[in-house]
Amino acid sequence: MDPKKIFTTILIWLPSVIITLFFIPNALDKILHSSEMNKIVSNNAILIITGIFLLIATALFLYNRTIVIGTILLASYMTLIVFIHMYKGKSYEVAILIVMATIFAAYIRSPFTFQQKRNY
């Protein structure tokens, strides 16, 4: 194989791997340690459902055919987290960066998916 092609593939997938390394531990923490969390929603079932939602959304994000759906789900979730952090007076800048990084990672992997189709 061509080393340039391997290096390009690694660089294309690197942002997606970093995003995945954020969302998967977050989801597993919500599923496995839901009773120990001090969140705005204290219901264990809601935290477990949120963790399962994050795992499914991350899987959709990683699969090329469903990258748009996964990106929308992950970005929507993190946008909601941004609003919750604003409401609670917490720092929300990192959450905004995660939303932007999620969209950027999807665009890097599949730029033609995000372009408008033209009818000539």
Side-chain angles (χ1 to χ4, degrees), residues 9 12 21 30 33 38 41 43 47 55 57 65 72 79 86 93-94 97 99 101 104 112 115 117:
T9 304
I12 287 173
L21 289 176
K30 287 183 185 338
H33 305 290
N38 186 16
V41 177
N43 189 347
L47 286 175
L55 287 176
R65 290 184 183 228
I72 290 170
T79 303
M86 291 170 112
E93 291 84 5
V94 174
L97 287 175
V99 172
F104 176 74
F112 299 112
Q115 292 180 357
K117 296 187 183 347

Side-chain angles (χ1 to χ4, degrees), residues 91-104:
S91 175
Y92 56 88
E93 291 84 5
V94 174
I96 290 174
L97 287 175
I98 293 171
V99 172
M100 292 171 38
T102 303
I103 296 168
F104 176 74

Side-chain angles (χ1 to χ4, degrees), residues 1-11:
M1 286 190 74
D2 184 25
K4 184 178 179 182
K5 186 174 181 177
I6 294 171
F7 187 67
T8 304
T9 304
I10 290 171
L11 288 179

Side-chain angles (χ1 to χ4, degrees), residues 45-92:
I46 292 176
L47 286 175
I48 292 172
I49 290 170
T50 303
I52 293 170
F53 167 80
L54 283 176
L55 287 176
I56 292 169
T58 304
L60 291 172
F61 173 73
L62 290 175
Y63 187 58
N64 280 334
R65 290 184 183 228
T66 58
I67 190 170
V68 174
I69 297 168
T71 303
I72 290 170
L73 293 175
L74 291 176
S76 300
Y77 169 77
M78 283 310 294
T79 303
L80 180 66
I81 298 301
V82 167
F83 291 136
I84 290 172
H85 281 207
M86 291 170 112
Y87 174 75
K88 291 179 90 176
K90 291 183 172 181
S91 175
Y92 56 88

Side-chain angles (χ1 to χ4, degrees), residues 3-36:
K4 184 178 179 182
K5 186 174 181 177
I6 294 171
F7 187 67
T8 304
T9 304
I10 290 171
L11 288 179
I12 287 173
W13 276 90
L14 188 63
S16 296
V17 169
I18 293 171
I19 293 297
T20 302
L21 289 176
F22 170 77
F23 281 114
I24 289 183
N26 188 358
L28 292 176
D29 195 39
K30 287 183 185 338
I31 293 170
L32 300 176
H33 305 290
S34 60
S35 62
E36 301 168 8

